[in-house]
């Protein structure tokens, strides 16, 4: 057993650290330090920079342009990225549709779509949820009818993060309503500029626009945008659920949040109860340590080429709970300074002024991608055989 | 022991509920969120005419002699309706402080507040003093004041602001014309408006000083307990709505071919919320009576217990309400997220849980000494 | 609204307080102060003393020998009893079979059994649970077959508290297995000295003998020991579940435990972190206050002759959770002094030396009388209509 | 990074499991609970022959040079088997202290321990010093010792006890003949035997003093971390058994006509237990490596984090195990309640959660300074 990074890994870390120091844009760094989320331009500028370096699609196999890193290197990269004040990259292209394409796509599809994802030029969004198909995704109703060389898509998606930014959507649609629910679903790539698509914003309780409703009215999608075969959509969706878990727990960003909180607390005046605050932070750090080492186990297993072990099953549940706890602690420890919502001049430490927006935003993290309750249902069945 | 509301209180609550139903709605709330100033002339006049401005104050001050239970009946309904009209911030809060100061000058201002003729806000918090309202960080230098007061609720539309400052070891409360302050306006977590006031070498005349020393300390301390109790009332109104809406949603929202309320885990979540709501109601009734108690330590013990309890349990209800609603719960379009913000806000205004647990321990030690 | 006791109630409290001061036996007081539970002799001696005073069956109507107190008076009595260091009275006779008898029993049954309960002479136990009928009580299997003037009882009961002390058992038995489960159950009184009854001890994890298994082999029970009619057992059992809730939350005894804990903490040496301990105790006291005022609401409603309102639904769940939390805090705050299990000489403060036994004992309180999970199932259905 | 156990460790763990399966059982445990003395001659000899006595110690001291991971493999299996044989109390614990003291005298005693020829216990806790092992309340007066040492594990069957005391501001560790102490024997929460030792004006010779000052402080501090890590290993063994037994019970126990494991609430309880158990395993692997670290503050930070985490999460698993078992879970006849006692015990021996959170904060500050 050995819990230290090897000399090679330490050298790798140093390389990444230096690069981040030199390359994370100042405005992005400031944005993260305030606890804010970057807008489209700032986010994409950063992702293009990574793309140019070949470090955007770090999980991809080398043959598709991945850097050929080990899971440990990817984990180190994520830690350094977060501690340098850069946000996580948008998952839809890099972590979701990319792996689907190189796994299930045709040669033409790979050639056509992978380069834009790799370079950060092309932005994607995910069309899964529908108003009546949330936890029960398989009951989705958006139809795609085959007409010669295209599908005609009608229906509605909801909770579509960054649909207003995206060039393309990957989408689950129903191509057959005569078979068992799961079997009639297909995986389709849709150009967001196609006529018949309407994107309506949904404002989140952090006051920002991340989410959208997307309406499809007789939207023509070329048949060559079907990934795999008709009816394969559910299989592809499930494939994504078990893909790459080495950073799903959010350890790097949670660590960064705790660091921001500790720095803010250190600057509090003498009449503030630092002792009590320190105990609360310590409890969170201890929880993070348990998550971190569980995550390390998954990383190490990945590097040995093993499938994800049982240790990885709780990474998302524990990770999201901890993100919420850290965020709640930041709001509550900020006391009165957490109440201002849109002040221009900082009041006390600005970290606290912005904390409640993030706290609001993070209520969603135990809901999206399969709520934690749904995850537990699945684990009870798959893992415990109940 | 008797937990029944008086007939009078019941009428006040019913009136408030009916008034808000007729004059306020989630749509009104959402458009009010966008306003720079939350003083809506017609509703302000209506509240004045309903007698709410005089309700919190003794008849000797020109009020109608309502107690905290009566006032809380309105605040609770306002919480349930997400109403942002600054009844507490520009009437109850400054009014109670002026009443407790109880000098001819303060009572004269109070009279104007009750009559709807003065817009007075309270600026008792500043950047470095946390929740310790009897020891503000703003200091008088000779007859000059320089510094800031923060998170002054609806301070942007007041004419006068009641401000606390230290003069040596002595607490002062001053009534300052807002026009002599520099103002930065912003919104708060609950959607309310607030201001930071910057005092730049402001010359303090004797007439501005309403009271000092022990009188000031007792007035601020009584005001703090009163406001804490109203925070609880507002949170209760909001939390009970979260529960009702969530229960209704669980009954009607279908997933996997059945109502989500038929899943045992959701059922247990809802039962926990229901039981907690009952306990919150008990704590509210308790604090509404005890927060006006004569004994300072008994009063502090009760309000700090209630506020600490609300800060964990009302917040928990709001979080669970969102979780059970799923995606729709985190959008601006549904009221649930707004209740969540309101409750989070109130759990931190006038003392966080950590602060009140400490204050509870101190107050209890004082109670024990008396026994 | 008025949250103070009236002058009459304060005078009543003073009377009770003085009486307790003069009458709670010293050995009993010391036993409670140590955190121990009294044995049969000590417990029964105390209950007889209460019986003699007419204060054992305080919830009973005056016509059956109750003292005619209001719910508030009964609550005050309970507070004074606990703070005087006396344990709660055994519920089986006083709170369970007594009310059943005066509600459903025949005149003969009342005359025969009520006096012994009222005086504390006769001890009872409750024969409900069976090895395969725990949460699912209605599936019980112990049979009672009618033979002329008696029933022949065969079967087994389990978790029978104080069966080894009891003179009598009230028992749910199946008299008809041809009808719907609930309808075939009857309520029978069984003399524990009847031949064919075997009582086997079950030791609890606090190291003590409270519980038993009771085996019935051809036990003859006279037909006049049937309460109500055959098949009425389930109705009677449900009646008991909704009976008297004014002290079910255990506020008086939990308050007493917190007081014992605070006294023990006050005596800790200077190098002990009293600040942290005080915060933990304060949080428990605040929780207790919420429970206490919820309980007051039930007491006040009872005095107004109202049925139990929704506020009473959580009293048992919250009450038992709080008992466990207080007990856990006592063990954990006792640090090393909580580890000795059967030391004769006190080590540090004896309160802590005994705390872990109580902590072990109290794990059962969220299980017995319908586990908290079962209670929530019932509340979801009955109260929330889910 | 590599979480695989070495082949050697795997063999040790397998041997321990097999040995305990063949020689120990719940019935043996229950009868051992009744014994006055937990030193079972045949099993003691067997463990000696298995090489366990030498395993924890460097070859330079006559040991077999096993590391903490190896020793923990045995302790974890012992926890899983509820084994009460005092391998830790009479071998590992005194042995590590003697090793860390590292004087010719201490190493001579260690040699006898390894050879199974000395019964040595550790008496490092007393009544007033809480968990602060480097500042005991027992004090040397001239050359006389009067006072008590408490909760000396298996102190009742030792010949020698290693005792800490203060001489002015200096920490001493002494090796005292137990026959010169008054002994009170009792059981502990986990079923183990312990003793309180009373020293009545005992004359301390120079030969009794093993070490003093910084050497003593460092030895005790290293010992504390080592023992904390073993507490975690023991709790892990027990908690994993609780989970396995509870899962099995939920699969087979029927109520309302179906297995209780088919109820969603029970399923979520079990998933939570499973996930927590995974995190406990991660923390165990972490602490087993870090608790032998050279850097004192790094070591303290790791052990205190692990111990604090176990004190909440392992305890939670044990509580839920009982709750899901229902009535049968609170009886002496089932192992679940015994695991609950063992876990509660270990969560309080060598530091409670509150204590370790404080220690974690101090250690972290020290780590930060070094960086």
């Amino acid at each position: 057993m050995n819990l230290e990074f090897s000399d090679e890994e330490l050298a790798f870390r140093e390389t990444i650290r230096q690069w981040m120091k030199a390359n994370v844009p100042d405005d992005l760094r400031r944005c993260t330090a305030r606890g804010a989320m970057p807008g489209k331009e700032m986010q994409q500028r950063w992702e293009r920079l990574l793309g140019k370096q070949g470090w955007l699609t770090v999980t991809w196999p080398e043959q598709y342009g991945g850097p050929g890193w080990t899971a440990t290197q990817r984990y180190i990269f994520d830690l350094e990225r977060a501690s340098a004040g850069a946000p996580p990259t948008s998952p839809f292209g890099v972590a979701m549709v990319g792996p689907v394409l190189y796994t299930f796509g045709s040669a033409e599809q790979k050639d056509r779509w992978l380069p834009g994802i790799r370079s950060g030029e092309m932005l994607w969004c995910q069309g899964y949820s529908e108003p009546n198909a949330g936890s029960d995704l398989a009951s989705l109703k958006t139809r795609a009818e085959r007409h010669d060389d295209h599908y005609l898509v009608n229906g509605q998606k909801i909770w579509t993060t960054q649909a207003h930014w995206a060039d393309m959507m990957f989408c689950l649609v129903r191509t057959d309503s005569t078979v068992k629910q799961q079997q009639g679903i297909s995986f389709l790539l849709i150009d967001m500029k196609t006529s018949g698509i309407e994107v309506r914003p949904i404002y989140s309780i952090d006051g920002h626009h991340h989410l959208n409703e997307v309406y499809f009215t007789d939207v023509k999608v070329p048949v060559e945008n079907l990934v795999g075969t008709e009816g394969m959509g559910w299989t592809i969706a499930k494939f994504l659920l078990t893909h790459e878990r080495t950073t799903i727990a959010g350890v790097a960003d949670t660590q960064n949040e705790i660091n921001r909180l500790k720095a803010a607390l250190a600057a509090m005046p003498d009449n503030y109860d630092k002792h009590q605050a320190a105990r609360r932070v310590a409890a969170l750090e201890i929880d993070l340590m348990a998550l971190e080492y569980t995550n390390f186990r998954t990383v190490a297993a990945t590097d040995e080429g093993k499938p994800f072990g049982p240790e990885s099953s709780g990474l998302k549940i524990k990770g999201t709970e901890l993100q919420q706890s850290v965020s709640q602690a930041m709001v509550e420890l900020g006391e009165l300074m957490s109440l201002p919502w849109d002040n221009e001049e900082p009041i006390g430490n600005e970290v606290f002024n912005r904390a409640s927006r993030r706290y609001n935003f993070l209520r969603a993290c135990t809901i999206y991608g399969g709520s934690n309750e749904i995850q537990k249902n699945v684990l009870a069945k798959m893992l415990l055989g109940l | 022991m008797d937990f029944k509301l008086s007939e009078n209180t019941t009428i006040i609550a019913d009136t408030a509920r009916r008034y808000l139903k007729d004059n306020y709605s989630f749509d009104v709330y959402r458009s009010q969120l966008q306003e720079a100033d939350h003083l809506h002339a017609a509703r302000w006049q209506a509240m004045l005419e309903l007698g709410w401005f005089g309700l919190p104050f003794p008849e000797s001050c020109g009020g109608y002699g309502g107690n905290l239970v009566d006032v809380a009946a309105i605040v609770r309904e306002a919480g349930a309706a997400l109403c942002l009209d600054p009844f507490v911030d520009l009437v109850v809060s400054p009014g109670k402080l002026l009443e407790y100061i109880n000098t001819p000058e303060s009572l004269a201002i109070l009279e104007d507040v009750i009559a709807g003729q003065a817009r007075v806000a309270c600026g008792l918090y500043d950047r470095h003093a946390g929740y310790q309202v009897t020891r503000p960080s703003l200091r008088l230098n000779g007859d000059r004041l320089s510094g800031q007061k923060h998170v002054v609720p609806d301070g942007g539309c007041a004419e006068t602001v009641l401000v606390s400052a230290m003069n040596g070891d002595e607490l002062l409360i001053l009534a300052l014309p807002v026009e002599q302050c520099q103002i930065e306006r912003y919104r708060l977590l609950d959607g309310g408006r607030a201001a930071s006031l910057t005092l730049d070498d402001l010359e303090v005349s004797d007439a501005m000083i309403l009271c000092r020393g022990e009188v000031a300390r007792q007035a601020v301390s009584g005001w703090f307990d009163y406001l804490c109790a109203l925070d609880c009332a507002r949170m209760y109104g909001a939390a009970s709505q979260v529960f009702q809406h969530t229960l209704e949603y669980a009954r009607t929202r279908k997933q996997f071919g059945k109502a989500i309320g038929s899943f045992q885990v959701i059922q247990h979540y809802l039962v926990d919320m229901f039981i907690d709501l009952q306990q919150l109601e008990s704590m509210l009734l308790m604090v509404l009576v005890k927060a006006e108690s004569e004994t300072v330590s008994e009063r502090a013990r009760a309000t700090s217990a209630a506020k600490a309890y609300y800060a964990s349990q009302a917040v928990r209800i709001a979080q669970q309400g969102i979780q059970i609603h799923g995606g729709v719960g985190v959008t601006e379009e549904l009221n649930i997220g707004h209740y969540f913000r309101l409750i989070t806000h109130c759990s931190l205004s006038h003392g966080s849980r950590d602060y009140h647990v400490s204050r509870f321990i101190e107050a209890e030690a004082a109670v024990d000494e008396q026994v």
Side-chain angles (χ1 to χ4, degrees), chain A, chain B:
Chain A
M1 216 158 61
N2 170 16
L3 306 187
E4 305 299 322
F5 291 128
S6 68
D7 288 345
E8 292 73 26
E9 286 161 349
L10 290 174
F12 173 83
R13 183 171 74 179
E14 195 50 33
T15 309
I16 302 296
R17 190 171 290 178
Q18 293 309 328
W19 188 89
M20 291 286 172
K21 210 167 164 182
N23 289 282
V24 176
D26 276 348
D27 56 350
L28 186 65
R29 201 188 301 265
R30 277 198 305 274
C31 173
T32 314
R34 297 171 71 228
M37 291 167 75
K40 177 179 179 178
E41 186 280 325
M42 204 189 284
Q43 178 79 25
Q44 197 170 12
R45 178 154 41 89
W46 167 238
E47 294 188 5
R48 280 178 179 145
L49 204 64
L50 287 176
K52 212 165 153 190
Q53 185 72 9
W55 290 355
L56 181 55
T57 50
V58 295
T59 59
W60 291 17
E62 280 180 272
Q63 62 179 118
Y64 300 112
W69 290 345
T70 63
T72 304
Q73 286 176 313
R74 297 197 294 271
Y75 186 85
I76 289 172
F77 177 79
D78 200 47
L79 288 175
E80 293 303 316
R81 184 269 307 156
S83 81
T89 51
S90 177
F92 306 111
V94 171
M96 303 178 97
V97 77
V100 164
L101 286 170
Y102 63 66
T103 308
F104 299 94
S106 64
E108 292 72 21
Q109 287 173 332
K110 294 179 197 176
D111 288 346
R112 179 153 174 213
W113 306 112
L114 293 183
I117 300 173
R118 209 158 45 221
S119 68
E121 290 303 321
M122 178 164 283
L123 298 186
W124 290 76
C125 65
Q126 175 192 39
Y128 278 22
S129 292
E130 299 184 5
N132 291 306
S135 294
D136 182 12
L137 187 58
S139 68
L140 62 87
K141 293 205 161 38
T142 295
R143 297 186 321 279
E145 278 171 29
R146 176 77 187 257
H147 291 265
D148 305 325
D149 64 344
H150 67 270
Y151 289 96
L152 210 57
V153 177
N154 280 284
Q156 185 197 345
K157 295 289 173 182
I158 196 168
W159 317 128
T160 321
T161 301
Q162 298 175 2
H164 56 308
W165 291 5
D167 304 299
M168 292 291 297
M169 170 190 276
F170 58 94
C171 191
L172 292 180
V173 292
R174 187 163 301 285
T175 42
D176 188 347
S177 49
T178 63
V179 293
K180 217 181 127 213
Q181 270 192 347
Q182 283 85 344
Q183 290 165 4
I185 296 174
S186 300
F187 194 97
L188 214 54
L189 311 178
I190 303 179
D191 187 326
M192 292 298 284
K193 287 180 295 295
T194 321
S195 80
I197 297 181
E198 190 195 349
V199 177
R200 294 186 199 161
I202 301 175
Y203 283 85
S204 304
I205 54 172
D206 63 351
H208 292 304
H209 173 200
H210 318 279
L211 305 172
N212 301 276
E213 293 177 290
V214 183
Y215 293 83
F216 301 95
T217 313
D218 289 336
V219 174
K220 280 190 184 177
V221 179
V223 290
E224 59 264 30
N225 283 17
L226 175 74
V227 180
T229 55
E230 278 193 13
M232 223 174 138
W234 194 251
T235 307
I236 296 177
K238 278 205 302 186
F239 155 81
L240 273 184
L241 286 180
T242 56
H243 195 71
E244 181 71 10
R245 293 201 192 173
T246 51
T247 59
I248 196 178
V251 168
D253 294 286
T254 299
Q255 180 66 64
N256 199 39
E257 286 301 297
I258 290 180
N259 293 344
R260 292 204 310 122
L261 175 55
K262 286 169 82 171
L265 290 172
M268 290 300 263
D270 286 344
N271 61 344
Y272 182 82
D273 188 351
K274 290 193 189 187
H275 176 78
Q276 198 50 36
R279 294 190 72 89
R280 184 156 180 187
V281 174
L284 294 168
E285 288 189 277
I286 291 168
D287 284 349
L288 178 62
M289 201 188 284
L291 185 65
E292 182 188 11
Y293 278 89
T294 308
N295 203 345
F296 277 143
R297 287 166 64 203
T298 294
V299 169
T302 305
D303 273 344
E304 287 170 43
K306 288 188 188 158
F308 303 116
E311 82 289 343
S312 70
S313 57
L315 289 176
K316 201 225 160 193
I317 292 174
K318 284 284 178 186
T320 50
E321 284 175 358
L322 188 57
Q323 282 177 58
Q324 291 184 342
S325 299
V326 170
S327 174
Q328 183 169 352
M330 194 180 277
V331 170
E332 292 178 0
L333 292 173
E335 300 188 333
L336 219 60
M337 297 304 118
S338 300
L339 300 188
W341 182 256
D342 58 1
N343 52 316
E344 285 175 20
E345 292 298 312
I347 299 173
N349 195 320
E350 202 186 359
V351 165
F352 295 125
N353 302 164
R354 292 285 81 78
S356 65
R357 291 214 186 223
R358 191 174 167 83
Y359 178 46
N360 274 276
F361 175 72
L362 284 176
R363 294 326 299 174
C365 75
T366 49
I367 295 170
Y368 60 56
S371 72
N372 284 8
E373 286 75 21
I374 295 290
Q375 306 249 351
K376 288 182 190 177
N377 287 350
V378 172
L379 290 174
K381 196 169 165 183
M382 309 296 280
L383 206 68
L384 306 185
L386 294 174
Chain B
M1 212 164 286
D2 173 12
F3 288 86
K4 283 192 304 294
L5 301 180
S6 71
E7 200 180 333
N8 207 27
T9 310
T10 308
I11 292 170
I12 291 167
D14 290 346
T15 307
R17 197 176 309 120
R18 210 172 320 117
Y19 165 76
L20 287 163
K21 190 164 180 289
D22 294 344
N23 295 278
Y24 207 82
S25 66
F26 186 54
D27 287 341
V28 173
Y29 160 78
R30 290 199 68 190
S31 74
Q32 194 175 13
L33 274 181
Q34 310 305 324
E35 309 278 337
D37 169 336
H38 283 168
L39 236 170
H40 180 276
R43 287 198 305 272
W44 199 245
Q45 186 61 27
M47 288 191 282
L48 176 67
E49 285 166 14
L50 282 167
W52 291 1
F53 287 17
L55 184 70
F57 309 107
E59 289 171 25
S60 58
C61 301
Y64 307 143
N67 58 19
L68 177 51
V69 181
D70 299 324
V71 177
I74 297 172
V75 173
R76 172 176 160 168
E77 294 303 329
L82 287 166
C83 180
L84 290 169
D85 292 341
F87 167 60
V88 170
D89 297 341
L90 295 186
V91 177
V92 186
S93 167
K96 291 311 281 189
L97 185 59
L98 291 164
E99 176 199 330
Y100 294 155
I101 291 170
N102 197 26
T103 61
E105 294 75 21
S106 78
L107 297 179
I109 310 177
L110 174 56
E111 216 168 282
D112 288 346
V113 169
I114 292 173
Q117 284 161 8
R119 291 184 194 164
V120 185
C122 287
L124 302 186
Y125 293 105
D126 34 39
R127 179 170 152 182
H128 290 302
Y131 294 120
Q132 296 159 50
V133 283
T134 55
R135 262 167 292 151
S137 61
L138 187 65
R139 307 192 72 84
L140 191 66
N141 276 318
D143 63 349
R144 300 286 169 158
L145 263 184
S146 283
Q148 294 188 307
K149 283 291 174 177
H150 289 294
V151 193
V152 181
D154 292 283
C157 61
E159 300 142 353
T160 305
V161 59
L162 307 178
V163 159
S164 55
M166 296 304 286
N167 184 22
D169 281 345
E170 194 180 52
L171 178 68
L172 303 182
I173 301 174
L174 306 98
L176 305 180
V178 172
E179 60 185 23
Q180 297 194 27
C181 313
Q182 231 177 287
I183 302 182
E184 197 214 342
R185 294 178 173 81
Y186 40 86
R187 280 203 279 163
L188 298 179
L189 176 52
D190 69 343
R193 303 291 314 181
S196 288
L197 306 179
T198 303
L199 315 173
D200 181 12
D201 202 35
L202 184 133
E203 185 176 347
V204 173
S205 65
D206 276 357
M208 287 179 181
I209 300 177
L210 289 176
C211 64
R212 53 175 80 226
E214 188 56 20
V215 173
R217 225 186 49 75
Q218 293 216 1
V220 169
S221 139
W223 170 88
F224 186 75
D225 283 321
Y226 198 98
L227 271 282
C228 281
L230 289 186
D231 270 343
C232 294
R234 193 168 174 226
M235 284 190 264
Y236 182 80
S240 63
Q241 289 298 307
V242 170
F243 174 73
Q244 286 303 334
H245 287 285
T246 306
L247 178 61
E248 195 49 41
Y249 186 78
R251 281 199 184 116
T252 50
R253 168 73 172 176
K254 290 197 170 156
Q255 292 281 275
F256 305 102
K258 50 185 184 174
I260 62 170
S262 65
F263 291 97
Q264 194 191 20
V265 162
I266 303 292
Q267 291 180 353
H268 282 211
Y269 284 180
L270 284 162
V271 168
D272 287 338
M273 290 167 76
F274 177 81
I275 291 174
D276 284 340
L277 195 62
Q278 289 300 327
Q279 301 234 115
L280 287 169
E281 186 172 351
S282 308
M283 277 301 230
L284 179 61
L285 296 170
M286 183 281 293
V287 76
L288 293 181
V289 170
K290 303 268 184 182
E292 288 193 306
S293 154
E294 295 290 315
T295 320
V296 174
S297 56
E298 176 67 24
R299 206 175 70 196
R301 182 176 179 272
T303 54
S304 284
K307 200 69 172 24
Y309 192 78
Y310 267 79
S312 63
Q313 299 312 104
V315 164
R316 188 82 201 113
I317 286 177
Q319 291 174 335
Q320 284 291 59
I322 289 182
Q323 185 69 20
I324 294 173
H325 272 84
V328 72
V330 296
T331 69
E332 288 266 339
E333 282 154 50
L334 198 76
N335 53 13
I336 295 296
H338 297 270
Y339 286 120
F340 172 70
R341 293 204 301 234
L342 181 157
I343 289 171
T344 307
H345 178 103
C346 292
S347 76
L348 291 170
S349 60
H350 312 306
S352 65
R353 177 171 166 92
D354 280 351
Y355 176 78
H356 280 291
V357 168
S358 300
R359 189 166 174 266
F360 175 83
I361 293 169
E362 283 164 33
E364 195 172 44
V367 170
D368 289 348
E369 269 170 36
Q370 288 159 17
V371 175

